[in-house]
Amino acid sequence: MTGTGVRFERPRLAVVKVGSSSLRGPDGRLDRAQVAAVAEQLVAAQEAGTQVVLVSSGAVAAGMGLLGLERRPTDLPTLQACAAVGQGELIHEYQQVLARHDRAAAQILLSQDDFVRRARYLNARTTLRRLLELGAMPVINENDAVATEELSYGDNDHLAALVASMLEAQLLVLLSDVDGLFDGDPRVSSEVGLIARVDDVDALDDASIGGVGSYVGSGGMRTKVGSARVAVRSAAHAVVANARRPDVLADVLDGRDVGTWFVAQEQRLEARRLWIGFALRVHGQISVNEGAVHALRVGGASLLSVGVVHADGDFAVGDAVEVLGPDGRVVARGLSNYAVTDLRRIAGRSTSAAAEAFGSGFAREVVHRDDLVLL
């Protein structure tokens, strides 16, 4: 990207995620002025012709203020209590701004099951689309009072990517407290540079961005890169940018050279493979040999028992598993045709040998290629 022209056409629909670090003040509580600034930018985006769905963190910070807590809790029950108390306050802060523009905020709390169970998935999608038709602005958060993933790991990045895929948005905007993805850690060196454009998110690895200690190795940026991967495979662009940069959302939507741009793939991965690869919770790992990795990546084959070295976890038939290569890296995700105990029995055996030893029920693939997503 040279800075001339625009990155992409203005999207008809964008999913905007703002992280908790971008909505907390110096005291750790909700920064109401920042929430208002975000809301004003969302309204401006709508008025400029882009429908917007907001995925917002910040409920815990809001709850801390209402409960009189000086420090962010570290135990899960108190975190969830803060989220339960703060969620209403968070939506109220957004609604105050939207109401001045004759717009309504629609609170939506989602969990992983809403993406895994087809009936709930379709209902959530229908509801969100109808809200947009009515001119309301969906404000989405994970259901933190009963779920644990966002509070512990994802900070809503993954949720936002799944929402973008669900709605077939053209753009995912991840607003955070950093300017984008760097080729090193800007907290320890002033010599690192911002990566303005990523054409192949799967090519990002430790070697290409400064080693294990690079900034992408931090939990926050790792989840953003993972979320960008979901978006681009859904044929959506993704941009990581600083939430506190003036007019950041307007600049991103206009295709200006702001933050890190992850370029969308032309072909959208089919919904079922997106579901297998990114929505399902993984219940175990299957370690395979190099021959199996080659067969999966180059040959487009199913995973067979002869290539399995070991199986870990507690998975049953139909559960999602990760497939790990000899170096321990994730090669693919898929749905296992075996429970972990049965897979350990046949690991390393050919399909025919497994069937001969244990019966015709073992004459099947470990993971069929139709149930497999390469990562």
Side-chain angles (χ1 to χ4, degrees), residues 166-199:
M166 170 193 281
L167 297 176
E168 299 184 15
Q170 293 80 49
L171 176 66
L172 170 67
V173 184
L174 300 173
L175 298 179
S176 185
D177 57 352
V178 295
D179 293 328
L181 175 65
F182 289 82
D183 57 9
D185 190 340
R187 298 170 298 184
V188 299
S189 173
S190 60
E191 302 299 318
V192 300
L194 178 72
I195 301 174
R197 172 172 175 160
V198 177
D199 288 285

CSV table of all heavy atoms in Angstrom, one decimal, residues 166-199:
chain,number,residue,atom,x,y,z
A,166,MET,N,-21.5,-14.2,9.8
A,166,MET,CA,-22.9,-14.5,9.8
A,166,MET,C,-23.7,-13.6,8.9
A,166,MET,O,-24.6,-14.0,8.2
A,166,MET,CB,-23.4,-14.4,11.3
A,166,MET,CG,-24.9,-14.4,11.4
A,166,MET,SD,-25.4,-13.9,13.1
A,166,MET,CE,-25.1,-15.4,14.0
A,167,LEU,N,-23.4,-12.3,9.0
A,167,LEU,CA,-24.1,-11.3,8.2
A,167,LEU,C,-23.6,-11.0,6.9
A,167,LEU,O,-24.1,-10.1,6.1
A,167,LEU,CB,-24.1,-10.0,9.1
A,167,LEU,CG,-24.8,-10.1,10.4
A,167,LEU,CD1,-24.7,-8.7,11.2
A,167,LEU,CD2,-26.3,-10.4,10.2
A,168,GLU,N,-22.5,-11.7,6.5
A,168,GLU,CA,-21.8,-11.5,5.2
A,168,GLU,C,-21.4,-10.0,5.0
A,168,GLU,O,-21.6,-9.4,4.0
A,168,GLU,CB,-22.7,-12.0,4.0
A,168,GLU,CG,-23.0,-13.5,4.1
A,168,GLU,CD,-23.8,-14.0,2.9
A,168,GLU,OE1,-23.9,-13.2,1.9
A,168,GLU,OE2,-24.3,-15.1,3.0
A,169,ALA,N,-20.9,-9.4,6.1
A,169,ALA,CA,-20.4,-8.1,6.0
A,169,ALA,C,-19.2,-8.0,5.1
A,169,ALA,O,-18.5,-8.9,4.9
A,169,ALA,CB,-20.0,-7.6,7.5
A,170,GLN,N,-19.0,-6.8,4.6
A,170,GLN,CA,-17.8,-6.6,3.7
A,170,GLN,C,-16.6,-6.1,4.5
A,170,GLN,O,-15.5,-6.2,3.9
A,170,GLN,CB,-18.1,-5.5,2.6
A,170,GLN,CG,-19.2,-5.9,1.6
A,170,GLN,CD,-20.6,-5.8,2.2
A,170,GLN,OE1,-20.9,-4.7,2.8
A,170,GLN,NE2,-21.4,-6.8,2.0
A,171,LEU,N,-16.7,-5.8,5.7
A,171,LEU,CA,-15.6,-5.2,6.5
A,171,LEU,C,-15.8,-5.5,8.0
A,171,LEU,O,-16.8,-5.4,8.5
A,171,LEU,CB,-15.5,-3.7,6.3
A,171,LEU,CG,-14.4,-3.0,7.1
A,171,LEU,CD1,-13.0,-3.4,6.6
A,171,LEU,CD2,-14.5,-1.5,6.9
A,172,LEU,N,-14.7,-6.0,8.6
A,172,LEU,CA,-14.6,-6.1,10.0
A,172,LEU,C,-13.5,-5.1,10.5
A,172,LEU,O,-12.4,-5.1,10.1
A,172,LEU,CB,-14.1,-7.5,10.4
A,172,LEU,CG,-13.7,-7.7,11.9
A,172,LEU,CD1,-14.9,-7.6,12.8
A,172,LEU,CD2,-13.1,-9.1,12.1
A,173,VAL,N,-13.9,-4.2,11.4
A,173,VAL,CA,-13.0,-3.2,12.0
A,173,VAL,C,-12.8,-3.6,13.5
A,173,VAL,O,-13.7,-3.6,14.3
A,173,VAL,CB,-13.6,-1.8,11.9
A,173,VAL,CG1,-12.6,-0.8,12.4
A,173,VAL,CG2,-14.0,-1.5,10.5
A,174,LEU,N,-11.5,-3.8,13.8
A,174,LEU,CA,-11.1,-4.1,15.2
A,174,LEU,C,-10.4,-2.9,15.8
A,174,LEU,O,-9.3,-2.6,15.5
A,174,LEU,CB,-10.2,-5.3,15.2
A,174,LEU,CG,-10.8,-6.6,14.6
A,174,LEU,CD1,-9.7,-7.7,14.5
A,174,LEU,CD2,-12.0,-7.1,15.5
A,175,LEU,N,-11.1,-2.2,16.6
A,175,LEU,CA,-10.6,-1.0,17.2
A,175,LEU,C,-10.0,-1.3,18.6
A,175,LEU,O,-10.7,-1.9,19.4
A,175,LEU,CB,-11.7,0.1,17.4
A,175,LEU,CG,-12.3,0.6,16.1
A,175,LEU,CD1,-13.4,1.7,16.4
A,175,LEU,CD2,-11.2,1.2,15.2
A,176,SER,N,-8.7,-1.0,18.8
A,176,SER,CA,-8.0,-1.4,20.0
A,176,SER,C,-7.2,-0.2,20.5
A,176,SER,O,-7.4,1.0,20.1
A,176,SER,CB,-7.1,-2.6,19.6
A,176,SER,OG,-6.5,-3.1,20.8
A,177,ASP,N,-6.3,-0.5,21.4
A,177,ASP,CA,-5.4,0.5,21.9
A,177,ASP,C,-4.0,0.6,21.2
A,177,ASP,O,-3.1,1.2,21.7
A,177,ASP,CB,-5.2,0.3,23.5
A,177,ASP,CG,-4.6,-1.0,23.8
A,177,ASP,OD1,-4.5,-1.9,22.9
A,177,ASP,OD2,-4.3,-1.3,25.0
A,178,VAL,N,-3.9,-0.1,20.1
A,178,VAL,CA,-2.7,-0.1,19.3
A,178,VAL,C,-3.0,0.4,17.9
A,178,VAL,O,-4.2,0.4,17.5
A,178,VAL,CB,-2.1,-1.5,19.2
A,178,VAL,CG1,-1.6,-1.9,20.6
A,178,VAL,CG2,-3.0,-2.5,18.7
A,179,ASP,N,-2.0,0.9,17.2
A,179,ASP,CA,-2.2,1.4,15.8
A,179,ASP,C,-2.4,0.4,14.8
A,179,ASP,O,-2.8,0.7,13.7
A,179,ASP,CB,-1.1,2.3,15.4
A,179,ASP,CG,-1.0,3.6,16.3
A,179,ASP,OD1,-2.1,4.1,16.7
A,179,ASP,OD2,0.1,4.1,16.6
A,180,GLY,N,-2.1,-0.9,15.1
A,180,GLY,CA,-2.2,-2.0,14.1
A,180,GLY,C,-1.2,-3.1,14.5
A,180,GLY,O,-0.7,-3.2,15.6
A,181,LEU,N,-0.9,-3.9,13.5
A,181,LEU,CA,0.1,-5.0,13.6
A,181,LEU,C,1.5,-4.4,13.3
A,181,LEU,O,1.7,-3.9,12.2
A,181,LEU,CB,-0.3,-6.1,12.7
A,181,LEU,CG,0.6,-7.3,12.7
A,181,LEU,CD1,0.7,-8.0,14.0
A,181,LEU,CD2,0.2,-8.3,11.6
A,182,PHE,N,2.4,-4.7,14.2
A,182,PHE,CA,3.8,-4.2,14.0
A,182,PHE,C,4.7,-5.4,13.7
A,182,PHE,O,4.3,-6.6,14.0
A,182,PHE,CB,4.3,-3.5,15.2
A,182,PHE,CG,3.7,-2.1,15.4
A,182,PHE,CD1,2.5,-2.0,16.0
A,182,PHE,CD2,4.4,-1.0,14.9
A,182,PHE,CE1,1.9,-0.7,16.2
A,182,PHE,CE2,3.8,0.3,15.1
A,182,PHE,CZ,2.6,0.4,15.8
A,183,ASP,N,5.9,-5.2,13.1
A,183,ASP,CA,6.8,-6.2,12.8
A,183,ASP,C,7.7,-6.5,14.0
A,183,ASP,O,8.8,-7.2,13.9
A,183,ASP,CB,7.7,-5.9,11.6
A,183,ASP,CG,8.4,-4.6,11.7
A,183,ASP,OD1,8.4,-4.0,12.8
A,183,ASP,OD2,9.0,-4.1,10.7
A,184,GLY,N,7.4,-6.0,15.2
A,184,GLY,CA,8.1,-6.2,16.4
A,184,GLY,C,7.2,-5.6,17.5
A,184,GLY,O,6.0,-5.3,17.3
A,185,ASP,N,7.7,-5.6,18.7
A,185,ASP,CA,6.9,-5.1,19.9
A,185,ASP,C,7.2,-3.6,20.1
A,185,ASP,O,8.3,-3.2,20.5
A,185,ASP,CB,7.3,-5.9,21.1
A,185,ASP,CG,6.4,-5.6,22.3
A,185,ASP,OD1,5.7,-4.5,22.2
A,185,ASP,OD2,6.3,-6.4,23.2
A,186,PRO,N,6.3,-2.7,19.8
A,186,PRO,CA,6.5,-1.2,19.9
A,186,PRO,C,6.7,-0.8,21.4
A,186,PRO,O,7.2,0.3,21.6
A,186,PRO,CB,5.3,-0.6,19.3
A,186,PRO,CG,4.2,-1.7,19.4
A,186,PRO,CD,4.9,-3.0,19.3
A,187,ARG,N,6.4,-1.7,22.3
A,187,ARG,CA,6.5,-1.4,23.7
A,187,ARG,C,8.0,-1.5,24.2
A,187,ARG,O,8.4,-0.9,25.2
A,187,ARG,CB,5.7,-2.3,24.6
A,187,ARG,CG,4.2,-2.2,24.3
A,187,ARG,CD,3.4,-3.3,25.0
A,187,ARG,NE,3.8,-4.6,24.5
A,187,ARG,CZ,3.2,-5.7,24.8
A,187,ARG,NH1,2.2,-5.7,25.7
A,187,ARG,NH2,3.6,-6.9,24.3
A,188,VAL,N,8.8,-2.2,23.4
A,188,VAL,CA,10.2,-2.4,23.8
A,188,VAL,C,11.2,-1.8,22.8
A,188,VAL,O,12.4,-1.7,23.1
A,188,VAL,CB,10.5,-3.9,24.1
A,188,VAL,CG1,9.6,-4.4,25.2
A,188,VAL,CG2,10.3,-4.7,22.8
A,189,SER,N,10.7,-1.4,21.6
A,189,SER,CA,11.7,-0.9,20.6
A,189,SER,C,10.9,0.2,19.8
A,189,SER,O,9.8,0.0,19.4
A,189,SER,CB,12.2,-2.0,19.7
A,189,SER,OG,12.9,-1.5,18.6
A,190,SER,N,11.7,1.3,19.5
A,190,SER,CA,11.1,2.3,18.6
A,190,SER,C,11.5,2.1,17.2
A,190,SER,O,11.1,2.9,16.3
A,190,SER,CB,11.7,3.7,19.1
A,190,SER,OG,13.1,3.7,19.0
A,191,GLU,N,12.2,1.0,16.9
A,191,GLU,CA,12.6,0.7,15.5
A,191,GLU,C,11.6,-0.1,14.8
A,191,GLU,O,11.8,-0.4,13.6
A,191,GLU,CB,14.0,0.0,15.6
A,191,GLU,CG,15.1,0.8,16.3
A,191,GLU,CD,15.4,2.1,15.6
A,191,GLU,OE1,15.4,2.1,14.4
A,191,GLU,OE2,15.6,3.1,16.3
A,192,VAL,N,10.6,-0.6,15.4
A,192,VAL,CA,9.6,-1.5,14.7
A,192,VAL,C,8.7,-0.6,13.8
A,192,VAL,O,8.6,0.6,14.0
A,192,VAL,CB,8.8,-2.3,15.7
A,192,VAL,CG1,9.6,-3.1,16.6
A,192,VAL,CG2,7.9,-1.3,16.5
A,193,GLY,N,8.2,-1.3,12.8
A,193,GLY,CA,7.3,-0.6,11.8
A,193,GLY,C,5.9,-1.2,11.8
A,193,GLY,O,5.7,-2.4,12.0
A,194,LEU,N,5.0,-0.4,11.5
A,194,LEU,CA,3.6,-0.8,11.3
A,194,LEU,C,3.5,-1.6,10.0
A,194,LEU,O,4.0,-1.1,8.9
A,194,LEU,CB,2.7,0.4,11.3
A,194,LEU,CG,1.2,0.1,11.1
A,194,LEU,CD1,0.6,-0.6,12.3
A,194,LEU,CD2,0.4,1.4,10.8
A,195,ILE,N,2.8,-2.7,10.0
A,195,ILE,CA,2.5,-3.5,8.8
A,195,ILE,C,1.2,-2.9,8.3
A,195,ILE,O,0.2,-3.1,8.8
A,195,ILE,CB,2.4,-5.0,9.1
A,195,ILE,CG1,3.8,-5.5,9.7
A,195,ILE,CG2,2.1,-5.8,7.9
A,195,ILE,CD1,3.7,-6.9,10.2
A,196,ALA,N,1.3,-2.2,7.1
A,196,ALA,CA,0.1,-1.5,6.6
A,196,ALA,C,-0.8,-2.5,5.9
A,196,ALA,O,-2.1,-2.2,5.9
A,196,ALA,CB,0.5,-0.4,5.7
A,197,ARG,N,-0.3,-3.6,5.3
A,197,ARG,CA,-1.1,-4.4,4.5
A,197,ARG,C,-0.7,-5.9,4.7
A,197,ARG,O,0.5,-6.2,4.6
A,197,ARG,CB,-1.1,-4.0,3.0
A,197,ARG,CG,-1.7,-4.9,2.1
A,197,ARG,CD,-1.8,-4.3,0.7
A,197,ARG,NE,-2.3,-5.3,-0.3
A,197,ARG,CZ,-2.9,-4.9,-1.5
A,197,ARG,NH1,-2.9,-3.7,-1.8
A,197,ARG,NH2,-3.3,-5.8,-2.3
A,198,VAL,N,-1.7,-6.8,4.8
A,198,VAL,CA,-1.4,-8.2,4.9
A,198,VAL,C,-2.2,-8.9,3.8
A,198,VAL,O,-3.5,-8.9,3.9
A,198,VAL,CB,-1.8,-8.8,6.3
A,198,VAL,CG1,-1.5,-10.3,6.3
A,198,VAL,CG2,-0.9,-8.1,7.4
A,199,ASP,N,-1.6,-9.4,2.8
A,199,ASP,CA,-2.3,-10.0,1.7
A,199,ASP,C,-2.6,-11.5,2.0
A,199,ASP,O,-3.6,-12.0,1.5
A,199,ASP,CB,-1.5,-9.9,0.4
A,199,ASP,CG,-1.4,-8.5,-0.2
A,199,ASP,OD1,-2.4,-8.1,-0.7
A,199,ASP,OD2,-0.4,-7.9,0.0
